[in-house]
């Protein structure tokens, strides 16, 4: 597809890197010719120098023939106006990044009346991700599927866990309503079968019925979860606008440390039930003064990935129950011992995944609608949720009779709101939500999960 992106900043760059792997024709609009030149050297894109709200610049970028227009500049107003112009010129699908709360609060109105298909707010998305991992205390990553009713949950296998050195088939026998769909070990992601053995330090991704989750967490060596009652937040990020009210609604007391005096004052006025401290939260003396060890949660949300990592490590060593660390450059994690960190979130990665899902949905056929898409921490393995129509070409065939492409696994089938852990005798039917794990992130259509000989006649 022909896709035009406005804004070659950090988010725009990540979006371009993500979409170029999909085989699309990409054009970037940016005011800075150096930004365009640098990106052209990195990825195979076209570039137009100019303002995204300039009609002639958009025409030069061939917006009028674009299937997708993505406005990802740092300026909300530029993004919205450029998208309106793109719609008038003929762009088919509009994705717009906004960060101002006023725009986000009017999302429904903006989408309905301005012709914008999808609004991105990475701060709100990051807050939602944080709440997900707080709601599952033993989890280090949570990704919702099936309209937020099912969750892919990542859990560390602790050293003294009773399932260390056990076969997965034996674990399934003891906790049958849990399916292990991926194992992360030494930086690699593996799709396990029943003969795989879990080791201490492994991270496993599981789907499970809610009532079986606690049994698995305990088996993996985690203590029975206690309710979180306090959170120390380092950094006055805009994420806090969406996060703090939800923490308070869950009965979690919050204290926030912010170095910028004006920002600290603004947050104190907005959140009167939060203790706002004007100080340097990355200073160990300040953390000790605030008794970091007494908090259940430590959230590091500054603009510096390095400082977030160091503060979280310090807090974990001090005795914090759970650390949540914002890192937009995952490559940094390899430089430290991240086994001491609980949760590492990348807001930009989550947004790029959301954009990828929308773009793939547009490109995919009606027989296999892509409902959701997320990458695991290795950035290669993808989890995809497809909704099957009567036109799907691999219906009514038992799974045991199919030959799947290498690196693929059917993780879960949701049928009429019921979670089905697939067996060889199961078959797909119209209306199924099917979750697929793909270690190479190569699948674009559900029909492609098997080799051609397994498809129904008439393909």
């Amino acid at each position: 597809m022909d896709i035009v992106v406005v804004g070659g900043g950090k988010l725009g760059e990540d979006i371009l890197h993500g979409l170029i792997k999909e085989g699309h024709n990409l054009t970037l609009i940016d005011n800075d010719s150096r930004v365009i030149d640098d990106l052209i050297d990195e990825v195979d894109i076209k570039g137009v120098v100019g303002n995204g709200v300039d009609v002639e610049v958009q025409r030069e970028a061939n917006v009028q023939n674009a299937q997708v227009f993505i406005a990802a500049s740092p300026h909300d107003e530029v993004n919205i106006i450029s998208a309106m112009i793109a719609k008038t010129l003929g762009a088919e699908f509009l994705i717009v990044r906004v960060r101002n709360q006023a725009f986000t609060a009017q999302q429904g109105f903006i989408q309905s009346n301005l012709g914008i298909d999808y609004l991105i707010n990475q701060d709100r998305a990051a807050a939602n991700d944080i709440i997900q991992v707080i709601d599952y205390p033993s989890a280090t990553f949570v990704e919702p599927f099936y309209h937020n009713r099912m969750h892919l949950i990542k859990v560390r296998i602790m050293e003294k866990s009773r399932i260390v050195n056990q076969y997965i088939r034996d674990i399934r026998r003891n906790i049958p309503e849990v399916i292990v769909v991926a194992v992360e070990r030494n930086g690699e992601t593996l799709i396990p079968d029943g003969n795989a053995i879990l080791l201490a330090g492994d991270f496993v991704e599981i789907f499970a019925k809610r009532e079986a989750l606690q049994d698995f967490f305990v088996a993996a060596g985690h203590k029975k979860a206690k309710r979180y009652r306090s959170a120390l937040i380092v950094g006055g990020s805009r994420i806090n606008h969406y996060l703090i009210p939800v923490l308070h609604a869950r009965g979690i007391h919050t204290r926030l440390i912010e170095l910028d005096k004006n920002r600290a004052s603004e947050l104190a006025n907005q959140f009167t039930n939060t203790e706002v401290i004007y100080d340097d939260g990355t200073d160990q003396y300040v953390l000790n003064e605030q008794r970091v060890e007494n908090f259940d949660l430590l959230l590091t949300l500054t603009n510096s990935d390095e400082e977030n990592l160091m503060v979280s490590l310090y807090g974990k060593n001090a005795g914090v129950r759970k650390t949540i660390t914002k890192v937009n450059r995952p490559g940094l994690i390899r430089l430290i011992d991240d086994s001491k960190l609980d949760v590492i979130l990348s807001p930009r990665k989550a947004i790029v995944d959301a954009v990828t899902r929308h773009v793939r949905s547009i490109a995919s056929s009606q027989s296999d609608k892509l409902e959701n898409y997320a990458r695991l921490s290795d950035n290669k393995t993808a989890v995809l949720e497809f909704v099957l129509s009567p036109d799907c070409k691999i219906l009514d065939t038992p799974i045991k009779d199919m030959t799947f492409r290498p690196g693929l696994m059917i993780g879960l089938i949701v049928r009429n709101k019921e979670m089905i852990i697939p067996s060889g005798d199961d078959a797909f039917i119209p209306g199924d939500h099917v979750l697929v794990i793909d270690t190479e992130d190569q699948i674009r259509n559900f029909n492609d999960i098997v080799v051609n000989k397994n498809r129904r006649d008439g393909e």
Side-chain angles (χ1 to χ4, degrees):
M1 293 193 299
D2 293 325
I3 300 175
V4 177
V5 177
V6 173
K10 293 178 180 178
L11 178 60
E13 179 180 354
D14 285 353
I15 289 172
L16 289 167
H17 277 282
L19 292 179
I20 197 65
K21 300 173 185 176
E22 308 283 308
H24 301 297
N25 301 315
L26 304 177
T27 301
L28 171 65
I29 299 175
D30 196 279
N31 277 319
D32 192 333
S33 61
R34 292 171 299 179
V35 168
I36 291 177
D37 290 341
D38 288 345
L39 282 169
I40 287 175
D41 287 340
E42 295 177 19
V43 290
D44 184 17
I45 63 170
K46 298 176 183 176
V48 175
V49 179
N51 195 318
V53 300
D54 188 318
V55 176
E56 294 308 316
V57 169
Q58 288 206 20
R59 285 196 174 111
E60 184 180 348
N62 202 30
V63 167
Q64 59 273 20
N65 293 314
Q67 281 77 45
V68 181
F69 178 88
I70 303 171
S73 86
H75 309 292
D76 290 357
E77 292 81 2
V78 168
N79 292 336
I80 291 174
I81 294 172
S82 66
M84 293 170 64
I85 293 171
K87 187 71 173 180
T88 302
L89 289 176
E92 296 178 17
F93 192 93
L94 308 181
I95 299 174
V96 175
R97 178 235 198 142
V98 295
R99 301 189 77 174
N100 189 309
Q101 279 184 286
F103 291 131
T104 304
Q106 301 178 77
Q107 178 172 345
F109 178 87
I110 290 173
Q111 292 186 185
S112 298
N113 293 278
L114 301 185
I116 293 171
D117 299 283
Y118 179 55
L119 281 182
I120 299 171
N121 186 320
Q122 64 200 71
D123 305 312
R124 182 176 62 179
N128 291 338
D129 289 343
I130 290 170
I131 293 301
Q132 295 274 14
V133 293
I134 288 175
D135 286 346
Y136 292 91
S138 299
T140 62
F141 172 82
V142 177
E143 182 66 33
F145 289 90
Y146 189 58
H147 313 301
N148 207 27
R149 296 175 187 167
M150 302 289 177
H151 295 84
L152 175 72
I153 296 176
K154 179 177 173 180
V155 186
R156 177 187 281 132
I157 305 300
M158 308 304 286
E159 187 173 350
K160 296 182 179 179
S161 160
R162 68 171 185 258
I163 58 176
V164 167
N165 297 323
Q166 279 198 19
Y167 291 106
I168 287 180
R169 64 171 182 265
D170 295 332
I171 298 170
R172 280 287 308 278
R173 191 175 296 118
N174 294 323
I175 314 176
E177 294 183 323
V178 171
I179 181 167
V180 178
V181 298
V183 177
E184 295 180 24
R185 180 181 299 159
N186 299 325
E188 294 187 5
T189 299
L190 314 171
I191 300 295
D193 59 19
N195 295 318
I197 295 175
L198 295 184
L199 305 179
D202 284 350
F203 286 92
V204 297
E205 275 87 9
I206 64 171
F207 283 114
K209 294 186 176 180
R210 183 175 288 272
E211 54 268 25
L213 277 174
Q214 190 58 49
D215 291 340
F216 186 84
F217 291 155
V218 172
H222 297 267
K223 295 179 181 178
K224 207 157 190 176
K226 294 181 180 179
R227 178 181 169 191
Y228 295 124
R229 297 187 178 277
S230 60
L232 178 62
I233 304 171
V234 177
S237 162
R238 281 178 284 197
I239 294 171
N240 288 296
H241 292 296
Y242 305 94
L243 176 64
I244 289 177
V246 183
L247 293 178
H248 288 170
R250 281 163 167 72
I252 299 174
H253 170 75
T254 54
R255 183 180 298 171
L256 188 151
I257 307 175
E258 169 55 38
L259 182 58
D260 183 274
K261 186 175 183 179
N262 292 332
R263 180 63 175 157
S265 177
E266 177 187 340
L267 289 166
N269 290 331
Q270 182 175 1
F271 301 111
T272 55
N273 292 328
T274 296
E275 297 179 73
V276 179
I277 310 298
Y278 165 48
D279 216 327
D280 184 0
T282 66
D283 189 314
Q284 294 181 10
Y285 175 80
V286 173
L287 293 171
N288 292 335
E289 190 177 55
Q290 297 301 323
R291 304 283 186 184
V292 63
E293 68 276 7
N294 292 335
F295 285 87
D296 294 330
L297 296 164
L298 172 63
L299 294 84
T300 51
L301 305 178
T302 76
N303 290 326
S304 169
D305 289 350
E306 293 88 348
E307 290 182 345
N308 290 341
L309 288 165
M310 292 301 105
V311 172
S312 288
L313 284 171
Y314 185 80
K316 194 63 180 179
N317 287 332
V320 172
R321 278 178 60 192
K322 188 166 192 172
T323 60
I324 300 175
T325 312
K326 179 172 76 74
V327 177
N328 274 316
R329 291 175 292 162
L332 288 174
I333 300 167
R334 294 192 294 268
L335 304 178
I336 64 168
D337 180 11
D338 66 328
S339 65
K340 296 184 180 297
L341 297 178
D342 297 308
V343 179
I344 298 174
L345 297 176
S346 173
R348 284 210 305 268
K349 174 178 173 290
I351 291 301
V352 172
D353 287 353
V355 170
T356 300
R357 170 171 61 88
H358 282 278
V359 171
R360 286 191 185 180
S361 295
I362 299 164
S364 67
S365 67
Q366 291 300 309
S367 65
D368 51 3
K369 178 186 176 186
L370 180 62
E371 185 78 8
N372 207 349
Y373 167 90
R375 286 174 295 162
L376 303 185
S377 56
D378 65 356
N379 284 329
K380 294 188 299 182
T381 302
V383 184
L384 307 97
E385 177 185 358
F386 291 98
V387 183
L388 307 189
S389 82
D391 296 327
C392 179
K393 295 180 173 60
I394 51 175
L395 301 176
D396 305 322
T397 301
I399 290 175
K400 65 185 178 184
D401 295 334
M402 298 183 185
T403 303
F404 293 108
R405 295 185 183 279
L408 287 179
M409 177 183 186
I410 304 300
L412 195 67
I413 301 170
V414 183
R415 181 176 298 157
N416 298 324
K417 299 183 180 179
E418 180 185 355
M419 188 177 90
I420 300 172
I421 296 174
S423 68
D425 293 325
D426 287 306
F428 306 122
I429 65 173
D432 280 352
H433 288 246
V434 183
L435 283 79
V436 179
I437 294 83
D438 178 8
T439 58
E440 297 299 326
D441 194 11
Q442 295 293 320
I443 297 301
R444 299 295 179 264
N445 296 288
F446 185 73
N447 292 323
D448 295 334
I449 68 172
V450 296
V451 295
N452 291 340
K453 67 179 181 180
N454 295 113
R455 301 184 185 178
R456 296 189 307 183
D457 292 339
E459 180 179 0

